[in-house]
Amino acid sequence: MVSIADREGDIREWYELAQETDAPAAAAYIVRAKQERRIEIEEDEHGYLWEWMAAQPVLERYEIAVAAKGGQAARMAMLHIRAGEVTLCGRIGRGHTPLSVHAVFACEPHPPAGVAAIRWMLLTNLPVDTAEQARTLIEWYGRSRYSFA
C-alpha cells in the first residue's frame, strides 16, 4: 500500500515515522511538497530543494491528459521530469537529523495562456532511479488529484 497525499501531508514527522517503521514497504508514501526545504548537497554544503531539483537534468519529457476542472477545459500537458535523492536538513534548532527521500519534480514549462502551470514536487520513500519509476509516481499522484482523460 502506498499513501498519497497532497500538500497538507507535507509533514516531516510523517516522513520520519515512515523511515523508522520496521517494515518500510508497509509505510510507503508519495507526498506533494508544500514548502521549500533546506537540503544537504554535499558535506558542509547546503541548498534548497526546489532550486536544486530545477537545476537537475531533465530525465524525460512526458505528456499527460488533464481532465476539465474548475472551469478549465481538458487539455494535454507536457511535463519535464527530474528526479533525485535528497537529504532534508530540517529546521535549525528543532533537533531533526538528516532524512533521505527521493524527489520527483514534474514541471510544465509552457502552459497554455491563462492556465497555471503544473509544478509538482513529489517526495517519496519509494525508489526513483529510472524514468519509468518517475512516471509511475506521477501517474499515481495524478490519479489521486485529477481525473486523467
Side-chain angles (χ1 to χ4, degrees), residues 1 19 26 37 40 53-54 59 63 88 94 99 111 115 146:
M1 180 191 287
Q19 181 175 300
R37 293 191 181 275
E40 287 183 10
M53 288 298 294
L59 184 62
E63 190 171 49
L88 306 178
R94 289 262 178 120
L99 176 67
V115 175
Y146 293 102

Side-chain angles (χ1 to χ4, degrees), residues 2-139:
V2 178
S3 295
I4 300 173
D6 210 357
R7 293 172 284 195
E8 70 277 357
D10 186 14
I11 303 167
R12 182 189 172 92
E13 290 77 10
W14 194 42
Y15 308 140
E16 290 172 349
L17 183 61
Q19 181 175 300
E20 294 168 3
T21 188
D22 291 335
Y29 60 82
I30 301 169
V31 177
R32 181 174 171 196
K34 176 180 182 179
Q35 59 194 0
E36 181 61 276
R37 293 191 181 275
R38 191 165 171 260
I39 61 171
E40 287 183 10
I41 296 173
E42 292 183 18
E43 191 172 319
D44 295 329
E45 185 180 348
H46 298 88
Y48 290 93
L49 175 65
W50 289 78
E51 180 182 327
W52 188 81
M53 288 298 294
Q56 298 310 299
V58 173
L59 184 62
E60 179 178 37
R61 287 165 180 78
Y62 177 59
E63 190 171 49
I64 62 170
V66 180
K69 183 176 182 181
Q72 292 186 351
R75 66 188 181 95
M76 297 303 290
M78 178 59 69
L79 303 178
H80 287 191
I81 309 303
R82 295 170 170 87
E85 187 170 2
V86 297
T87 301
L88 306 178
C89 296
R91 293 188 183 161
I92 297 172
R94 289 262 178 120
H96 292 300
T97 59
L99 176 67
S100 291
V101 299
H102 294 272
V104 175
F105 184 39
C107 178
E108 183 181 23
H110 306 292
V115 175
I118 293 174
R119 290 179 47 88
W120 297 336
M121 180 71 69
L122 305 178
L123 303 178
T124 184
N125 60 346
L126 296 169
V128 186
D129 300 316
T130 67
E132 182 179 1
Q133 289 170 321
R135 274 193 318 270
T136 298
L137 265 66
I138 291 165
E139 289 174 9

